[in-house]
Amino acid sequence: MAELKTRLQNDLTAAMKARENVTAGALRMALTAVTNEEVSGKQARELSDDEVVKVLTREAKKRKEAAEAFAGAGRTEQAELERKELAVLEAYLPAQLDDAELASIVDKAVDAVAAQLGEAPGPKQMGQVMKAVNAEVAGRAEGGRVAAAVKARLTS
């Protein structure tokens, strides 16, 4: 079993014993998402830690979007609950890259693609650069941020 999944289960048990309802609820939803991912497809399988991180990242994104939607609709209590759940999930995710680190990774990827092509890549080669950057970033930055950084670098 993946270490991260085991840690989630142990923390859920501790949160339930301590009657921490928000933490327990967030961990329950996260574990349900992990289990659903394990049994999806043609054959059940066990997720690796990297795959569990991807599921948690997806769940965290859902919480962030829900908090924004609730806040926009004037439902501040529900938005605050979503933010608290997001904070619980973020404790299990790797630290996010800052803009300088992301720019450095993008520059390296652009240089690598330029070496392959024999010329500086342009906006048409964004897919190749994104593939190289995403392999390096591995869940430490949101896809939108990565795409914006790559696009800015390729169009400058």
Side-chain angles (χ1 to χ4, degrees):
M1 184 182 294
E3 288 180 34
L4 185 55
K5 183 178 177 187
T6 304
R7 194 172 124 212
L8 286 168
Q9 289 171 334
N10 292 339
D11 290 351
L12 173 61
T13 303
M16 289 169 63
K17 287 180 181 177
R19 297 187 189 273
E20 297 170 358
N21 294 333
V22 173
T23 304
L27 293 177
R28 260 194 208 104
M29 283 189 273
L31 282 167
T32 299
V34 169
T35 303
N36 287 343
E37 188 73 19
E38 287 177 336
V39 299
S40 67
K42 293 184 179 187
Q43 186 173 353
R45 62 192 173 91
E46 200 162 305
L47 299 181
S48 68
D49 277 343
D50 290 339
E51 292 170 318
V52 172
V53 167
K54 286 179 184 176
V55 171
L56 291 178
T57 302
R58 194 170 52 230
E59 290 298 308
K61 183 178 179 184
K62 287 179 187 177
R63 300 295 167 274
K64 185 182 290 185
E65 290 171 354
E68 290 170 6
F70 283 127
R75 297 187 59 193
T76 55
E77 289 177 17
Q78 193 67 32
E80 189 59 34
L81 176 65
E82 294 291 337
R83 286 189 196 99
K84 287 178 183 176
E85 289 180 354
L86 173 63
V88 169
L89 294 177
E90 285 178 340
Y92 297 93
L93 295 174
Q96 295 290 299
L97 295 172
D98 63 19
D99 291 337
E101 291 171 318
L102 182 59
S104 171
I105 291 171
V106 169
D107 289 341
K108 288 178 190 173
V110 167
D111 292 343
V113 171
Q116 287 177 350
L117 296 175
E119 63 183 14
K124 288 185 178 179
Q125 287 80 28
M126 184 169 174
Q128 292 174 317
V129 176
M130 283 293 293
K131 185 176 181 181
V133 172
N134 281 333
E136 183 74 25
V137 169
R140 295 179 295 157
E142 279 188 4
R145 262 185 74 209
V146 173
V150 169
K151 190 173 185 177
R153 174 68 170 78
L154 292 178
T155 57
S156 62

